[in-house]
Amino acid sequence: MSDKLGASGQDKVKDQGSTPGKKKDKKPKGGKGGNPSGDCKGQQKTSDGSKSPRAKTEEKPTDVTNQTDPSKGQKPKGQQKTSNNGSQTDPNKPQKSKAELKAERRALQEQQRALKDQKKETGTSGSSKDTSSASVAKIEPKRVPDHLMADDVQAQKKMAKKLEKQKIPQRTKVQRQVRLFEHLHQYEREVSLTQSLSFRNSTIHPAIVRLGVQYAEGVICGSNARCLAMLVAFKQVIADYTTPAHKELSRDLEARIKPYISFLNQCRLMSVSMGNAIKYLKYNISCGTRDLSDNEAKQNLIESIDEYIKIKIILPAKAISTFVIEDKKIVDNDVIVVYACSSLVLRVLRTAHEHGIKFRVIVIDGRPRMEGKEMLRRLVRAGIKCSYMLINAVSYAMQEATKVFLGAHALLANGCVMSRVGSSQLALVAKSFNVSVLVCCETYKFCERGQTDSFVLNELGDPDDLVNIGNKTAYLSDWRDYNSLTLLNVVYDVTPPEFVSVVITELRLIPCTSVPVVLRMKHVETAET
């Protein structure tokens, strides 16, 4: 009897040494996949190799993350419960306790909240607490307007609905176009836009219709001339406007002008100078007509247009001419090369001739517009000695040239000069001959857009203009009958700032890279006023 009691006592001691915590956990479920890190003493006995069969079954490899670290103060009891639950599903992937899962969820929420706050700070420039600015930051602005994406089907459908709502005729799709320029609109004079207009029920002012036809036919060309004609037409629109009953002038007049702008865009793509003038006009309509009667508001708008013409177009041309004389950019015995016909360059040359400076001008011209002939006619009428040659002979002209004067359609934010096609070729040849290239441009032509080539955004003219070659036989009059032949008439090109020596503006002589500074100054002046 005593031998049996002694044997059973020894078995109990072995069981207690091999399975620590057995008295606490009555249900031994963690025999196979349990955590061996229960009590420090029990772990030492099992590692010493006790002869208990239960200890052999507990020596199977377990997950390292499930082991306890006594230095962290974790409770063995809680870990045993976690390992017991994990042994029911997968011994190698133990299930986590509720406290650990809750802690992980809380950490994930804090991480997501931190990322959201960071996006608000970077997207709204420090106004993350304002919900309205945060909602604006989520909406990304369009990089290209809908009326410029000719190859986007969805954008064209949206534009067609807009024109139909405004009762404005839409241009017919061109028959054939160069694939590289399919994203640009090609303006052709084959079908007139005014053919489908009903003047009796038309919502477009007759002055705008006349101006659009002159744009489409090329009667009015040049950035300054187009902008001046548009502003004069809008003066007529404002003078003939009457505010409807129960409506405000500031809101109704701005809504009335929108279809006019769409119609002019259908006739010909707006220039940068026209776009800046329209922004100025809309700003004055919305902000400059408050607390005024209709007659006073209309008179105020007309005066603001006259002031814009005087400050932005007339006085800058006078200042640029004065700076050229004062800084001695034209001196005696100079041979000046000009390209096509620029009203500002013509004004500069006339002013220099009136001051008694003796110089000679070489007019470079190119197809299809051949605008240099008009420039030559006006210079000869002013009494200036001139020569005339085409752009394919520009290398011969550069051998005796001392300076090159160019006009500009726009000056882009990255310093590139957008001008008539052929200007970049002329500047490139001048650079190779070490001849200075001076660009005359008003600051109201400065643009916030950046562009490095002539393919992304440009204007395509009528390809039939390339067919007409004067009095000679037009051999390409039936070019549309040949499927393998496509004509391309690009209107503008982009000149890199490396080819331009200086830009002459009404602010003074500046480099091309100063365009962002001038634009920033304009924004500050607008905000102050």
Side-chain angles (χ1 to χ4, degrees):
M1 188 69 179
S2 60
D3 295 336
K4 293 180 180 180
L5 291 173
S8 61
Q10 290 179 0
D11 293 338
K12 288 181 180 180
V13 173
K14 289 181 182 180
D15 293 339
Q16 288 178 0
S18 60
T19 57
K22 185 176 179 181
K23 295 180 180 179
K24 295 181 181 179
D25 296 330
K26 295 181 179 180
K27 297 180 181 180
K29 294 183 180 180
K32 292 185 179 181
N35 190 357
S37 59
D39 192 6
C40 296
K41 293 181 179 180
Q43 191 173 2
Q44 186 176 2
K45 289 181 180 180
T46 52
S47 61
D48 290 340
S50 61
K51 297 180 181 180
S52 174
R54 187 184 298 273
K56 292 181 181 180
T57 57
E58 289 182 352
E59 289 178 357
K60 290 186 178 181
T62 57
D63 193 358
V64 180
T65 59
N66 199 20
Q67 297 179 359
T68 57
D69 190 357
S71 62
K72 295 182 181 180
Q74 295 179 356
K75 295 182 180 180
K77 182 177 179 180
Q79 278 193 346
Q80 279 185 350
K81 290 183 179 180
T82 307
S83 61
N84 290 339
N85 293 334
S87 62
Q88 295 176 2
T89 55
D90 192 353
N92 296 327
K93 294 183 180 180
Q95 213 173 28
K96 297 180 181 179
S97 64
K98 292 182 179 180
E100 290 176 344
L101 292 173
K102 187 176 181 180
E104 287 181 0
R105 286 196 300 268
R106 187 174 298 172
L108 182 60
Q109 289 175 359
E110 292 293 333
Q111 185 180 4
Q112 291 176 351
R113 191 178 293 109
L115 290 174
K116 191 179 293 184
D117 293 339
Q118 186 179 1
K119 287 182 180 179
K120 287 181 182 179
E121 289 176 0
T122 56
T124 59
S125 302
S127 60
S128 60
K129 295 182 180 180
D130 190 3
T131 56
S132 60
S133 59
S135 60
V136 174
K138 293 180 182 179
I139 304 174
E140 296 182 358
K142 290 184 177 181
R143 299 182 63 183
V144 182
D146 290 337
H147 68 276
L148 297 178
M149 296 187 289
D151 58 342
D152 194 341
V153 180
Q154 297 296 331
Q156 289 305 305
K157 287 182 179 179
K158 188 185 298 183
M159 194 65 195
K161 290 180 180 179
K162 179 182 176 182
L163 294 175
E164 185 180 359
K165 184 178 179 180
Q166 294 176 347
K167 298 180 181 179
I168 294 174
Q170 189 178 9
R171 278 189 171 272
T172 57
K173 189 175 178 60
V174 295
Q175 297 180 3
R176 193 159 61 251
Q177 194 174 354
V178 179
R179 288 187 178 181
L180 186 60
F181 295 88
E182 285 182 349
H183 62 285
L184 300 176
H185 287 281
Q186 183 169 298
Y187 294 89
E188 298 181 0
R189 292 191 294 269
E190 188 177 0
V191 179
S192 177
L193 278 174
T194 58
Q195 185 176 358
S196 58
L197 279 178
S198 175
F199 290 95
R200 181 178 299 177
N201 299 324
S202 177
T203 58
I204 304 176
H205 195 276
I208 302 298
V209 175
R210 181 175 64 250
L211 179 64
V213 173
Q214 290 174 345
Y215 283 169
E217 295 295 328
V219 177
I220 299 177
C221 58
S223 297
N224 288 336
R226 291 169 64 190
C227 185
L228 278 170
M230 184 194 67
L231 291 175
V232 171
F234 277 124
K235 283 175 60 178
Q236 186 65 34
V237 169
I238 294 171
D240 297 340
Y241 171 78
T242 54
T243 308
H246 308 292
K247 288 189 178 181
E248 295 181 1
L249 182 141
S250 59
R251 295 183 179 181
D252 187 70
L253 182 58
E254 187 175 356
R256 189 75 62 88
I257 287 177
K258 287 181 181 179
Y260 302 163
I261 299 172
S262 299
F263 176 76
L264 294 177
N265 256 325
Q266 289 296 308
C267 295
R268 187 181 174 184
L269 187 66
M270 282 194 174
S271 62
V272 174
S273 58
M274 294 169 64
N276 292 334
I278 288 173
K279 289 179 183 177
Y280 174 82
L281 180 60
K282 286 184 175 180
Y283 176 79
N284 280 274
I285 290 174
S286 59
C287 300
T289 59
R290 295 175 181 175
D291 302 330
L292 295 176
S293 63
D294 290 353
N295 293 330
E296 292 176 352
K298 289 164 62 176
Q299 186 64 29
N300 190 15
L301 289 175
I302 293 174
E303 290 177 358
S304 65
I305 291 176
D306 292 334
E307 184 180 2
Y308 186 87
I309 294 173
K310 181 180 179 181
I311 294 177
K312 298 295 183 181
I313 301 177
I314 297 176
L315 291 181
K318 185 178 180 180
I320 290 170
S321 303
T322 304
F323 293 154
V324 170
I325 304 301
E326 290 179 355
D327 296 339
K328 296 182 179 181
K329 295 303 177 183
I330 299 179
V331 296
D332 290 336
N333 300 323
D334 263 346
V335 179
I336 300 173
V337 175
V338 299
Y339 180 69
C341 184
S342 172
S343 59
L344 184 56
V345 174
L346 178 63
R347 173 74 179 268
V348 169
L349 297 178
R350 280 179 176 174
T351 305
H353 180 71
E354 291 171 359
H355 281 73
I357 302 175
K358 297 179 181 179
F359 59 93
R360 185 164 60 91
V361 178
I362 299 177
V363 180
I364 306 296
D365 204 1
R367 297 184 65 246
R369 293 186 178 274
M370 305 295 287
E371 296 174 330
K373 293 181 179 179
E374 182 63 26
M375 185 75 168
L376 179 66
R377 188 180 299 110
R378 295 181 183 182
L379 290 175
V380 172
R381 193 181 300 167
I384 302 174
K385 294 182 180 180
C386 299
S387 302
Y388 179 83
M389 61 181 64
L390 296 179
I391 195 171
N392 52 2
V394 66
S395 59
Y396 297 98
M398 288 299 169
Q399 295 177 2
E400 54 179 342
T402 57
K403 295 180 182 70
V404 175
F405 276 81
L406 296 176
H409 169 78
L411 218 64
L412 305 179
N414 59 348
C416 294
V417 180
M418 195 172 186
S419 187
R420 292 171 179 84
V421 61
S423 300
S424 61
Q425 182 179 358
L426 190 67
L428 176 63
V429 176
K431 182 73 173 179
S432 64
F433 279 86
N434 293 325
V435 179
S436 301
V437 178
L438 296 87
V439 175
C440 301
C441 181
E442 304 92 337
T443 55
Y444 87 105
K445 294 181 182 177
F446 285 12
C447 179
E448 296 179 352
R449 186 180 73 242
Q451 192 172 335
T452 57
D453 53 51
S454 306
F455 305 100
V456 176
L457 187 60
N458 208 325
E459 183 180 344
L460 301 182
D462 191 0
D464 289 330
D465 293 341
L466 301 174
V467 176
N468 301 324
I469 52 176
N471 298 327
K472 298 180 180 179
T473 305
Y475 295 102
L476 294 177
S477 57
D478 56 346
W479 68 274
R480 298 180 189 274
D481 298 335
Y482 300 93
N483 296 328
S484 58
L485 179 61
T486 306
L487 301 184
L488 177 65
N489 183 11
V490 181
V491 178
Y492 302 110
D493 62 9
V494 176
T495 304
E498 294 82 11
F499 297 161
V500 179
S501 304
V502 70
V503 178
I504 308 174
T505 67
E506 67 268 24
L507 302 177
R508 209 68 189 182
L509 279 69
I510 61 174
C512 295
T513 52
S514 297
V515 176
V517 181
V518 177
L519 293 173
R520 196 180 303 116
M521 290 170 55
K522 285 188 175 183
H523 289 318
V524 171
E525 292 176 359
T526 306
E528 289 178 353
T529 55

